[in-house]
Amino acid sequence: MAEGQRRRGAELEQAILRAAAEELETSGYAGMTMDKVAQRAGTNKNAIYRRWPQRAALGIAAYKFLADARTPAPDTGSLRGDALELLRQANATWSSPRGAILRDLLAAAADEPALLDLLREQAGGGAMNAAWFTSLSRAVARGEAPPEAVQPRVAALPMMLLRGEYALRGVPSVSDETLVEIVDEIFLPLVRGRGVAA
């Protein structure tokens, strides 16, 4: 890059995040170093440390960058179809090398409450949360769900149940039969019951 064309602000931040995300995919969290990220981004480590003072914080931000770029909101024409597709996407991610990156980040942040909060907030899935809200809103528009169903805890429930399968059972992947049970036996009855007066 020629002198006088130095990147600053958001442009530099995006270049660093892109480079860190590429390092995560190539080397995993264990192999992602500030030196490698700086070299890949065409900047120096000081520019990185000013934005992310810890490697784990950069890893979390890079993971969010990866996750947000790859979470399309499905539109299958039914809430059941959308919910199953979203759970299948998450299951495929968590049982893939990206899931291993997330587990490494959780281990790195385990002793630091501030990093754990950041991980829950960022890697918890801004794009995934938006996709669930979009699916619920479409279901309301189609008359499949009451407006009261478009609520944060309702939208978060299927993903919490999927995380529970991984955390409590220690499985490498969750069966499709379990995903169908989460949708048919818990999520859809909850959604339909939201509009029923007590």
Side-chain angles (χ1 to χ4, degrees):
M1 180 170 297
E3 193 61 38
Q5 292 184 333
R6 282 184 55 187
R7 295 164 300 170
R8 296 186 188 283
E11 182 184 0
L12 178 57
E13 193 166 299
Q14 287 298 303
I16 293 168
L17 282 174
R18 193 172 306 106
E22 289 168 1
E23 278 299 318
L24 278 179
E25 288 191 309
T26 304
S27 307
Y29 177 69
M32 185 194 87
T33 67
M34 296 298 221
D35 284 324
K36 287 180 181 177
V37 172
Q39 183 177 9
R40 192 182 283 261
T43 190
N44 61 57
K45 286 194 300 186
N46 290 339
I48 299 172
Y49 281 114
R50 277 194 297 274
R51 291 160 174 82
W52 297 279
Q54 299 166 295
R55 187 172 73 102
L58 176 60
I60 291 166
Y63 186 87
K64 181 183 185 303
F65 181 87
L66 278 174
D68 286 355
R70 297 182 181 167
T71 308
D75 189 3
T76 65
S78 75
L79 180 58
R80 182 180 189 273
D82 290 353
L84 283 171
E85 181 58 29
L86 284 166
L87 283 177
R88 286 171 177 148
Q89 286 175 20
N91 193 37
T93 295
W94 292 351
S95 62
S96 74
R98 276 186 51 219
I101 292 168
L102 182 56
R103 289 189 293 278
D104 287 348
L105 287 168
L106 281 166
D111 295 330
E112 298 193 43
L115 280 177
L116 265 178
D117 288 346
L118 183 66
L119 184 58
R120 285 188 193 105
E121 176 189 311
Q122 293 194 5
M128 183 59 81
N129 290 342
W132 282 96
F133 272 103
T134 298
S135 292
L136 280 168
S137 297
R138 287 179 183 147
V140 169
R142 287 190 300 262
E144 278 186 280
E148 296 85 355
V150 185
Q151 196 266 351
R153 292 204 186 274
V154 173
L157 182 68
M159 297 300 290
M160 296 300 288
L161 293 171
L162 180 59
R163 284 187 191 110
E165 290 292 320
Y166 277 92
L168 298 176
R169 301 185 197 282
V171 294
S173 181
V174 175
S175 72
D176 201 65
E177 179 180 272
T178 300
L179 302 182
V180 171
E181 286 175 2
I182 288 171
V183 170
D184 289 347
E185 296 178 23
I186 301 168
F187 180 63
L188 292 178
L190 172 67
V191 167
R192 291 180 189 122
R194 292 293 293 177
V196 178

